[in-house]
Amino acid sequence: MKTSTRLDIKAIKAEFPILDQEVNGHRLVYLDNAASSQKPRAVVATLERYYERDHANVHRGIHELSTRATQAYEGARARAARYIGAGEPEEVVFVRGTTEGINLVASAWGPENLREGDEILLTVLEHHSNIVPWQLLAQRTGAHLKSVDISDDGRLRLDQFDELLTRRTRLVGVTHVSNALGTINPVEEIVAAAKRVGATVLVDGAQAAPHLPIDVGAVGCDFYAFSGHKMCGPTGIGVLWGRRELLEEMAPYQGGGEMIEIVELERSTYKPAPQKFEAGTPNVADAVGLAAAMDYLEDIGLERIHAHEHDLVAYALERGAEIPGFRDLGPVGDDRAGVLSFELGDIHPHDLAQVLDSRGIAVRAGHHCNQPLMRRLGLGATTRASFYLYNDRDDVDVLCEGLNAAIEFFS
Ligand code: PMP
């Protein structure tokens, strides 16, 4: 996947006004991209233009602005479908983000498809939002949760899928890329194994869609969920992609305006998917902003973005090896995204993050919404630096200076 065409990081940085500031008297070095990314001018300008010229409610109005807003919203749906290689725009449901997408599947698909004694297979790499909705579903249906472990190098134990997948496995939930370790999981292989026992597969794409080219057809899954705010888009918007026939079979998730055909006092009929799952006034502006973010990322090229981030992690690991007590927790190899989760001697991650913040460096410290994984690693927390297209080797150097300063400070 690597390509030799390097990104022009100086030009890219210039597109992100927020990066051009000092924090605590130092140049801001933003390394918290796995939590949320910053927004380029093109996205902010799209939001501004939409609100200044085109905004109205969608689908209902017979006036010019409503027509424009509807076209912009449905255009964003088609854009999102292209971004992930979906067959049809109707397979794209706009949601608030990955969390809502997964909850939608657990609530609308789950109860009809799971019975007492059925099994849901997850992995120890899952974010809480790909665990808790399935726990709620298991409590409602009497299904059981099982989980695939990792080996000590941070990779999933693929051999365990063969052991844990049974005829009772109805649902497999797996993250495409780990937000805590940066592991890129072989989702195609996992989906193929799940399909051999007839399981439905949901892939959590929150950390993949911003950084890798995605083709849901090639992945072979049934549902794919991701968030706009991690991929240069606005907050409050995300995508749940589902296979057409599954979306058609599923009951509505919420009831209200926009999702109905005929309403009587006692009963209603519903529109087909995706409208059936979008009750109420949708988040039109942010869907349009997300489409602009997809244009922006694809213009640069997701393969180049991934290669750049991979290169930054490799450089960070090289520099980290020179720092006493630095221990990276992710896999080393091509299956590694731009996430660097590490320990630094016995310095607590929160203390470390505070020292880094005092030097203008934004990282995350904690369990990263991965408590089962932290337990598996025998840790309460890690420090995580996560890279995006606007980071460069200078940022890594500043991070490493910060780590050395922290060692000195706490010695
Ligand atoms: N899954 C993964 C792997 C994530 O990293 C995140 C965000 N940290 C989520 C799900 C949840 O995304 P959101 O909060 O945008 O719904």
Side-chain angles (χ1 to χ4, degrees), residues 336-351:
R336 174 75 175 263
V339 173
L340 187 74
S341 236
F342 59 93
E343 290 188 288
L344 190 64
D346 57 4
I347 303 176
H348 194 282
H350 288 146
D351 295 334

Side-chain angles (χ1 to χ4, degrees), residues 185-298:
N185 290 322
V187 282
E188 290 88 351
E189 211 177 309
I190 294 168
V191 171
K195 290 292 160 194
R196 286 198 283 276
V197 298
T200 297
V201 185
L202 178 141
V203 176
D204 172 348
Q207 299 293 343
H211 307 281
L212 303 171
I214 306 296
D215 180 346
V216 289
V219 173
C221 58
D222 301 289
F223 298 105
Y224 196 96
F226 57 99
S227 305
H229 69 96
K230 294 183 197 282
M231 51 188 291
C232 295
T235 52
I237 190 77
V239 164
L240 171 71
W241 170 83
R243 279 201 294 114
R244 181 79 180 253
E245 56 279 22
L246 286 178
L247 292 178
E248 291 301 352
E249 279 165 26
M250 281 157 57
Y253 171 51
Q254 294 175 332
E258 305 275 2
M259 50 79 74
I260 49 78
E261 247 154 17
I262 294 166
V263 176
E264 294 172 81
L265 216 45
E266 302 287 335
R267 70 191 69 79
S268 304
T269 56
Y270 312 120
K271 285 193 180 140
Q275 277 77 25
K276 181 169 63 172
F277 301 110
E278 294 182 1
T281 301
N283 188 352
V284 184
D286 293 325
V288 174
L290 175 57
M294 289 171 169
D295 286 344
Y296 175 79
L297 292 172
E298 282 195 347

Side-chain angles (χ1 to χ4, degrees), residues 116-145:
E116 191 161 353
D118 283 345
E119 293 163 4
I120 297 169
L121 183 59
L122 305 175
T123 86
V124 76
L125 286 179
E126 301 315 306
H127 186 278
H128 295 165
S129 49
N130 203 20
I131 300 175
V132 184
W134 305 117
Q135 290 173 346
L136 295 171
L137 177 62
Q139 284 156 17
R140 276 170 82 181
T141 57
H144 303 294
L145 293 174

Side-chain angles (χ1 to χ4, degrees), residues 227-398:
S227 305
H229 69 96
K230 294 183 197 282
M231 51 188 291
C232 295
T235 52
I237 190 77
V239 164
L240 171 71
W241 170 83
R243 279 201 294 114
R244 181 79 180 253
E245 56 279 22
L246 286 178
L247 292 178
E248 291 301 352
E249 279 165 26
M250 281 157 57
Y253 171 51
Q254 294 175 332
E258 305 275 2
M259 50 79 74
I260 49 78
E261 247 154 17
I262 294 166
V263 176
E264 294 172 81
L265 216 45
E266 302 287 335
R267 70 191 69 79
S268 304
T269 56
Y270 312 120
K271 285 193 180 140
Q275 277 77 25
K276 181 169 63 172
F277 301 110
E278 294 182 1
T281 301
N283 188 352
V284 184
D286 293 325
V288 174
L290 175 57
M294 289 171 169
D295 286 344
Y296 175 79
L297 292 172
E298 282 195 347
D299 281 352
I300 292 171
L302 282 137
E303 297 203 353
R304 293 170 75 207
I305 292 171
H306 172 59
H308 170 69
E309 293 165 1
H310 188 81
D311 178 65
L312 280 184
V313 165
Y315 179 63
L317 291 178
E318 215 178 281
R319 293 286 330 266
E322 298 159 4
I323 300 173
F326 177 91
R327 187 169 82 93
D328 167 56
L329 298 161
V332 178
D334 281 348
D335 56 347
R336 174 75 175 263
V339 173
L340 187 74
S341 236
F342 59 93
E343 290 188 288
L344 190 64
D346 57 4
I347 303 176
H348 194 282
H350 288 146
D351 295 334
L352 180 56
Q354 225 154 14
V355 171
L356 295 176
D357 179 55
S358 72
R359 302 170 72 93
I361 307 162
V363 296
R364 187 146 290 240
H367 54 62
H368 316 298
C369 298
N370 289 86
Q371 288 184 15
L373 175 64
M374 292 298 133
R375 229 166 271 129
R376 166 65 180 80
L377 296 172
L379 300 170
T382 74
T383 307
R384 182 184 73 185
S386 49
F387 304 113
Y388 209 5
L389 72 168
Y390 37 69
N391 294 120
D392 57 14
R393 287 184 172 216
D394 275 355
D395 294 342
V396 175
D397 291 339
V398 172

